[in-house]
Amino acid sequence: MAMLLDALLSESISTLTTLVISVVQTTANFKPELELLGLTLQRIKPIIDEIVNMKRKLDRTELECKMFIEEIQEAEKLVAECSKIKRNIIKKFTYSLKLKVLNSKMLSFFQIEVQASQSRDIMHILSVVNDMKLKVDRIFEEQRDTTQSTGRVGNHRGSESTEREKYGWRVPILPSLIVAFGEPLEKLKAAVGDDHPVLVVAAPGGCGKTTLAKMLCHDAEIGEKFGENIFFVTVSETPNLMMIISDLFNPNPSDPRLLFQSKGDAKNKLENFWNEKASDPMLLVLDDVWSDSFIEQIFPSNIRGHKIVVTSRTAFQKYKTFRFEPLNDEDAKSLFRSSAFTESGSRPSPTINDDLVNQMVPWCKKHPLTLSVVGRSLNGKDELVWKSMLKKLSRGRSVLDLHEDVFIGLERSFESLDEELKQCFLDFGLFPEDQRIPVSVLLNMWVHLYDHDDEGVDTMATIFELSYRNLVDLTTTGFRNDSSARVNYCDQQLVTQHDLLRELAIHLNSKLPLAKRTRLSINVRGDEFPTPIKQLQESMQARILSISTGESFSSKWCNMEIPNLEVLILNMMSKTYTLPHFLAANPKLKSLNITNHGLYLTKFNNFHFLTSSHNLTRIRLERVDISPSILSLISLQKVSLIMCKIGNTFKNLITKTPNIWPQLVELEIDYCQDLVEFPGTLCNSDHLKKNSITNCNDLCGFSEEFGDLINLEMLSLRSCTKLKKLPESIWRLRNLSVLDISDCLNLSGLPEKMGKLGCLRKIYMKGCSGVNELPESVEELSHVRVVCNEEVAYKWRGYSNVEIDLVEENPLETLERMMSF
């Protein structure tokens, strides 16, 4: 019925308007009055149509529509009667007045009655909105009560609960199903119980830090300890401090808000809040914190007795860190199954055998976000979809390429870095998966690329910063910092990276077209180069190139031109290897790192290609059969030979051969078991400052020319177990300040003229149990510090010019260290 009345109302106003126009055109009587009335009707018709539509939406009463219709129908009758009046002067006058009254009445009606109706409608809308607000508030209160009671034991409801309701920062509700976090939760609860007021839960994005923090807040034991005084704040990357504090004091949207006059006023009110709560234990969770300065802003350090748990992608140095360890195999499978096998849509998930699950989980890198996203993407899908996904991943497609949510979650950590840190992070994508990267390799690169210092201060600072942000993991080879000498700050340091973060670096590196990338990583399967590389017709602009080949690689290179190459990383597994042809004419190459990951040493067929690289200053070779051509690289300043076969490289040269690495500053030879004697020809290296020959068990001696290294400042012979004596000419090394002979088990004594080493300041002698007595000349040494174990220390006691630093000798640690490679 209401729809009929609405239609009748619109039709009536249209009919009246048409009638007025018709009468004006067919009769001269009342023309001014009818034209005025027609104009009025034309003005109000759009309003009538809009009112009809609005009343349908508002479901207004039929009485109002009838009221409009009756007024219009009366007007129609009057206009129709006017059309019948011809010459009657009295009727003309009378109906003329009636038309004027009608026009005034229509105007008055819409100016008063309609506006009153609209005002009434507005009040009705406000009333409905108010009712809705009350319902929302009730829902909000019910949700809050559920949040506060879920998983808690021993919460006091009475007056304490009422007090808690005055404040915000309430703990979010837990997801309905959580798996694989039981063990981390127990470890976190134990860490919360210690004496440190601030605990930072640090892990990369997507690892489940927020979920773990929520679980902590809902835990029964935590609830028993902190009661209602558990607060949870989501901070984010760009926090607004005043808004966050406002959320504490304005928990309910419908209540009048407590306003602050300034940022200082807000902080004062917050500090007063902490002081009021100081008598009772409190747990505050700051979720997703990007800067440690925010912790200081939100919580003053002079208030004691409260516990602050911070979740962050960064491990802030000034606070204790709780490391979120990777999931074990079983937890990773459980988390994946919880996402992949829940029912969704109109049909349950099909039966997928365990073999498919076992194959899929490793591709997710045990990363919670990846396990969840990939699992959800396969939920309810047919077996062929699973197999298709596995096929894509096994062919080198990254999870980041297939699932944008994972990429976005990890990319935020990258975007928060400054420009140089970003570049350094991207360099990690150049190294093979699941490999420990010696930090000295990064030092060799970054000295040239980012102007890092030779001592490794800048490089280690960069590694520390990336480690704090959980983008890399820093480890050591097992040596204690205080028991052995280091060539530089990067010496004996290793860094690893989660596979997913490595894929992030690769993904970000690949944004530019292939030919335009500054760093390029090429993985060769068998002899098959990636198709885009083979099809590339132009030269590549890469400054950094990494090439990884397998055991079956036959050194068949495709055509490549890389004229701007400065840093080259070669990873191989084959017994023989031919260097790429583009190295024969590459004058810009400055740093070369070659690592053999195979079972056998690699022998090069054309190492002489490198002789044209006149700017090559740093070279590091690992598990390589050294070619004599290396001696022709006259610009080398740093040489590292790790687990290499020295062979006859130096034997055919006479001692006084000139121009062998004339610019050499640093030499590192480690675990080269066929090195019997230090090459005499290297004693001509006038610029050599650091000489480290370690873990070379067959090293027996030195020529007397060793004393010609007059600029040598550091000499490390650590763990050369067959070495029986040091060269007597060592006394001529007038600039030598550090000597490391620790764990030289067969060393029988020190040179007689040892005391003439006027610059010697530190001697490392831990494990030198064969040194029975010291030469008398040690009394001539200037103030020197001896780092040794108790067995050696007693020999040095009684010398006033000697300070002893005792280190404990752990036989198991020594064995692990010697086996670390």
Side-chain angles (χ1 to χ4, degrees):
M1 181 64 180
M3 293 292 290
L4 292 174
L5 289 172
D6 291 339
L8 184 58
L9 178 60
S10 292
E11 184 179 351
S12 298
I13 193 69
S14 297
T15 301
L16 176 59
T17 304
T18 302
L19 179 61
V20 170
I21 294 172
S22 175
V23 172
V24 170
Q25 292 175 345
T26 58
T27 180
N29 298 324
F30 315 110
K31 187 172 183 178
E33 292 84 358
L34 289 173
E35 286 180 345
L36 184 60
L37 178 61
L39 182 61
T40 299
L41 292 173
Q42 289 176 0
R43 290 168 57 192
I44 67 174
K45 186 179 185 304
I47 301 175
I48 290 291
D49 293 337
E50 185 176 353
I51 288 173
V52 168
N53 292 329
M54 292 300 297
K55 288 189 178 298
R56 287 174 182 170
K57 295 178 181 180
L58 294 173
D59 194 25
R60 307 309 295 153
T61 64
E62 297 179 8
L63 180 61
E64 294 172 351
C65 291
K66 288 181 179 179
M67 178 178 63
F68 287 122
I69 293 170
E70 290 173 356
E71 292 290 341
I72 293 171
Q73 288 176 343
E74 289 295 324
E76 287 179 6
K77 292 179 181 179
L78 178 61
V79 174
E81 291 175 359
C82 288
S83 65
K84 299 175 182 179
I85 298 174
K86 302 301 180 181
R87 295 185 177 87
N88 193 323
I89 298 175
I90 296 175
K91 284 187 176 183
K92 284 183 180 180
F93 177 75
T94 303
Y95 276 88
S96 176
L97 292 177
K98 287 183 178 181
L99 287 173
K100 291 180 180 179
V101 171
L102 174 61
N103 187 64
S104 299
K105 188 175 181 180
M106 294 290 287
L107 287 174
S108 176
F109 180 82
F110 278 91
Q111 290 173 352
I112 299 175
E113 299 292 340
V114 173
Q115 288 187 20
S117 177
Q118 290 177 339
S119 298
R120 190 271 320 278
D121 290 342
I122 292 172
M123 295 303 295
H124 174 75
I125 292 171
L126 292 175
S127 176
V128 171
V129 169
N130 186 61
D131 290 341
M132 291 177 66
K133 182 181 73 65
L134 293 175
K135 291 178 181 179
V136 169
D137 286 347
R138 283 197 296 270
I139 293 172
F140 182 84
E141 293 295 328
E142 291 171 1
Q143 183 179 5
R144 183 192 63 193
D145 293 341
T146 302
T147 301
Q148 291 178 341
S149 61
T150 302
R152 302 273 186 86
V153 189
N155 286 347
H156 306 290
R157 303 307 299 170
S159 60
E160 187 175 352
S161 178
T162 303
E163 178 67 19
R164 181 64 181 89
E165 291 176 0
K166 296 179 181 178
Y167 301 104
W169 293 1
R170 289 159 183 161
V171 180
I173 298 175
L174 276 176
S176 57
L177 178 64
I178 299 178
V179 297
F181 283 88
E183 183 178 348
L185 176 61
E186 292 303 315
K187 292 181 178 179
L188 179 59
K189 285 164 59 179
V192 168
D194 64 21
D195 295 331
H196 295 84
V198 179
L199 179 67
V200 180
V201 180
C207 282
K209 302 181 294 295
T210 299
T211 299
L212 185 62
K214 291 178 183 178
M215 292 176 68
L216 177 73
C217 295
H218 286 281
D219 182 78
E221 295 178 10
I222 295 296
E224 190 72 40
K225 179 176 181 180
F226 294 100
E228 294 289 335
N229 288 329
I230 300 178
F231 297 85
F232 193 103
V233 184
T234 300
V235 179
S236 78
E237 187 173 358
T238 54
N240 185 314
L241 181 62
M242 289 186 67
M243 286 299 298
I244 289 175
I245 297 176
S246 177
D247 290 340
L248 171 65
F249 294 105
N250 299 287
N252 299 318
S254 60
D255 293 342
R257 296 185 67 81
L258 174 64
L259 301 178
F260 309 117
Q261 297 179 0
S262 63
K263 187 175 181 179
D265 180 40
K267 295 180 71 173
N268 288 336
K269 285 183 170 60
L270 180 62
E271 187 168 354
N272 292 336
F273 170 78
W274 296 132
N275 291 326
E276 291 173 3
K277 296 290 183 180
S279 60
D280 297 318
M282 176 188 292
L283 172 63
L284 171 64
V285 173
L286 300 178
D287 184 43
D288 195 21
V289 176
W290 289 72
S291 171
D292 56 1
S293 62
F294 181 83
I295 303 173
E296 300 166 358
Q297 290 184 67
I298 205 78
F299 194 83
S301 58
N302 61 341
I303 297 180
R304 306 297 179 185
H306 298 333
K307 175 66 71 172
I308 314 298
V309 174
V310 178
T311 71
S312 178
R313 302 181 184 211
T314 302
F316 303 125
Q317 290 178 270
K318 64 175 67 175
Y319 302 116
K320 182 181 179 182
T321 300
F322 176 84
R323 294 283 183 177
F324 206 155
E325 299 297 332
L327 299 177
N328 58 43
D329 291 339
E330 289 305 314
D331 284 345
K333 289 180 183 179
S334 297
L335 182 56
F336 180 80
R337 287 177 178 275
S338 69
S339 297
F341 295 134
T342 55
E343 292 189 3
S344 63
S346 58
R347 61 186 179 87
S349 300
T351 302
I352 303 295
N353 61 47
D354 288 340
D355 183 54
L356 281 175
V357 174
N358 293 336
Q359 291 181 66
M360 189 64 71
V361 168
W363 289 109
C364 298
K365 314 299 183 184
K366 297 184 181 180
H367 190 275
L369 176 61
T370 311
L371 290 163
S372 299
V373 171
V374 175
R376 286 196 301 269
S377 72
L378 295 172
N379 191 312
K381 301 296 175 57
D382 293 323
E383 183 178 348
L384 291 178
V385 177
W386 284 62
K387 291 183 177 180
S388 176
M389 175 72 77
L390 282 172
K391 188 176 181 180
K392 291 176 182 177
L393 293 172
S394 64
R395 287 181 173 178
R397 293 290 300 277
S398 169
V399 173
L400 301 178
D401 294 324
L402 301 175
H403 297 281
E404 188 177 4
D405 289 348
V406 180
F407 171 71
I408 292 173
L410 295 176
E411 189 184 27
R412 288 184 64 203
S413 296
F414 172 78
E415 291 299 334
S416 68
L417 304 176
D418 63 36
E419 187 56 36
E420 184 174 312
L421 278 176
K422 285 181 179 179
Q423 298 304 316
C424 292
F425 172 79
L426 293 176
D427 288 339
F428 282 93
L430 299 168
F431 295 92
E433 188 176 14
D434 298 324
Q435 295 294 328
R436 297 184 302 175
I437 305 169
V439 179
S440 57
V441 173
L442 299 170
L443 172 64
N444 286 346
M445 295 170 51
W446 293 348
V447 162
H448 291 301
L449 296 173
Y450 313 122
D451 198 27
H452 282 199
D453 64 282
D454 288 318
E455 293 299 315
V457 174
D458 296 335
T459 297
M460 283 307 301
T462 298
I463 296 298
F464 281 135
E465 186 64 30
L466 292 173
S467 177
Y468 297 148
R469 295 171 183 265
N470 289 286
L471 295 174
V472 298
D473 294 307
L474 181 64
T475 60
T476 66
T477 59
F479 292 97
R480 293 174 47 159
N481 291 344
D482 58 353
S483 63
S484 60
R486 294 178 182 269
V487 177
N488 52 56
Y489 290 102
C490 300
D491 187 25
Q492 306 165 32
Q493 303 283 348
L494 300 172
V495 66
T496 59
Q497 188 176 48
H498 192 285
D499 292 346
L500 201 60
L501 292 169
R502 174 181 172 272
E503 289 189 14
L504 174 64
I506 294 172
H507 187 92
L508 292 168
N509 274 325
S510 63
K511 286 187 174 183
L512 289 175
L514 193 63
K516 304 298 182 182
R517 298 174 192 172
T518 57
R519 60 179 62 76
L520 185 63
S521 181
I522 302 175
N523 292 307
V524 183
R525 298 176 181 271
D527 280 333
E528 191 66 25
F529 277 75
T531 301
I533 295 292
K534 292 190 296 183
Q535 295 178 344
L536 195 65
Q537 299 297 317
E538 57 184 311
S539 62
M540 291 177 277
Q541 301 304 311
R543 296 177 62 202
I544 320 166
L545 174 64
S546 170
I547 303 176
S548 298
T549 56
E551 192 172 5
S552 61
F553 180 60
S554 61
S555 296
K556 293 180 180 179
W557 295 94
C558 65
N559 292 324
M560 290 190 294
E561 293 183 13
I562 316 177
N564 297 319
L565 184 63
E566 297 179 31
V567 175
L568 176 61
I569 302 169
L570 295 177
N571 299 288
M572 61 200 63
M573 298 181 69
S574 52
K575 294 176 66 175
T576 60
Y577 194 92
T578 301
L579 291 171
H581 58 83
F582 60 79
L583 288 179
N586 202 299
K588 293 185 179 182
L589 185 65
K590 298 176 181 178
S591 176
L592 173 64
N593 180 77
I594 298 177
T595 305
N596 169 23
H597 300 280
L599 294 175
Y600 305 99
L601 297 179
T602 296
K603 186 172 184 178
F604 289 90
N605 298 321
N606 60 341
F607 206 83
H608 62 278
F609 269 26
L610 294 170
T611 56
S612 61
S613 300
H614 300 301
N615 288 306
L616 182 60
T617 59
R618 292 172 178 259
I619 188 169
R620 185 183 188 276
L621 307 178
E622 183 172 339
R623 295 182 54 78
V624 166
D625 190 341
I626 302 298
S627 167
S629 299
I630 193 175
L631 300 177
S632 301
L633 304 177
I634 60 175
S635 299
L636 289 178
Q637 298 175 13
K638 179 179 179 181
V639 175
S640 299
L641 308 177
I642 314 298
M643 290 182 281
C644 290
K645 180 181 178 181
I646 303 295
N648 296 321
T649 300
F650 299 98
K651 287 185 178 180
N652 296 329
L653 299 173
I654 61 175
T655 302
K656 296 298 183 180
T657 301
N659 298 323
I660 300 301
W661 299 339
Q663 300 181 49
L664 187 66
V665 175
E666 185 176 323
L667 175 65
E668 178 187 13
I669 303 177
D670 191 28
Y671 284 97
C672 294
Q673 302 303 346
D674 69 335
L675 181 66
V676 177
E677 184 176 358
F678 182 79
T681 186
L682 293 180
C683 296
N684 299 323
S685 301
D686 295 337
H687 299 288
L688 186 62
K689 292 184 177 181
K690 298 178 180 180
N691 190 1
S692 176
I693 306 174
T694 55
N695 300 294
C696 296
N697 293 330
D698 287 340
L699 181 67
C700 296
F702 299 80
S703 66
E704 284 302 308
E705 286 78 15
F706 191 80
D708 293 340
L709 297 172
I710 56 176
N711 289 309
L712 195 65
E713 298 174 358
M714 194 280 287
L715 174 62
S716 177
L717 303 172
R718 184 185 61 247
S719 298
C720 293
T721 55
K722 290 186 179 181
L723 184 64
K724 294 183 178 180
K725 65 177 183 178
L726 299 176
E728 287 296 331
S729 61
I730 196 174
W731 65 272
R732 304 208 312 263
L733 305 179
R734 58 176 180 266
N735 289 311
L736 188 68
S737 61
V738 177
L739 174 65
D740 186 355
I741 51 176
S742 55
D743 294 318
C744 290
L745 305 179
N746 283 301
L747 192 66
S748 58
L750 300 178
E752 287 296 328
K753 296 183 180 181
M754 186 81 172
K756 293 187 177 293
L757 294 172
C759 290
L760 190 62
R761 293 294 178 265
K762 205 164 192 177
I763 305 175
Y764 293 88
M765 287 189 66
K766 180 180 72 68
C768 294
S769 56
V771 179
N772 295 318
E773 58 181 350
L774 302 175
E776 294 180 359
S777 64
V778 297
E779 293 182 352
E780 302 174 19
L781 293 171
S782 300
H783 184 78
V784 65
R785 177 177 294 177
V786 178
V787 181
C788 59
N789 55 314
E790 183 61 41
E791 186 179 0
V792 177
Y794 82 93
K795 300 181 180 69
W796 289 95
R797 291 194 176 100
Y799 291 96
S800 59
N801 58 337
V802 174
E803 181 180 347
I804 299 174
D805 285 350
L806 279 178
V807 293
E808 295 182 6
E809 186 174 15
N810 186 333
L812 180 60
E813 178 184 299
T814 302
L815 178 62
E816 290 177 348
R817 183 179 70 242
M818 297 179 70
M819 297 178 63
S820 62
F821 282 93

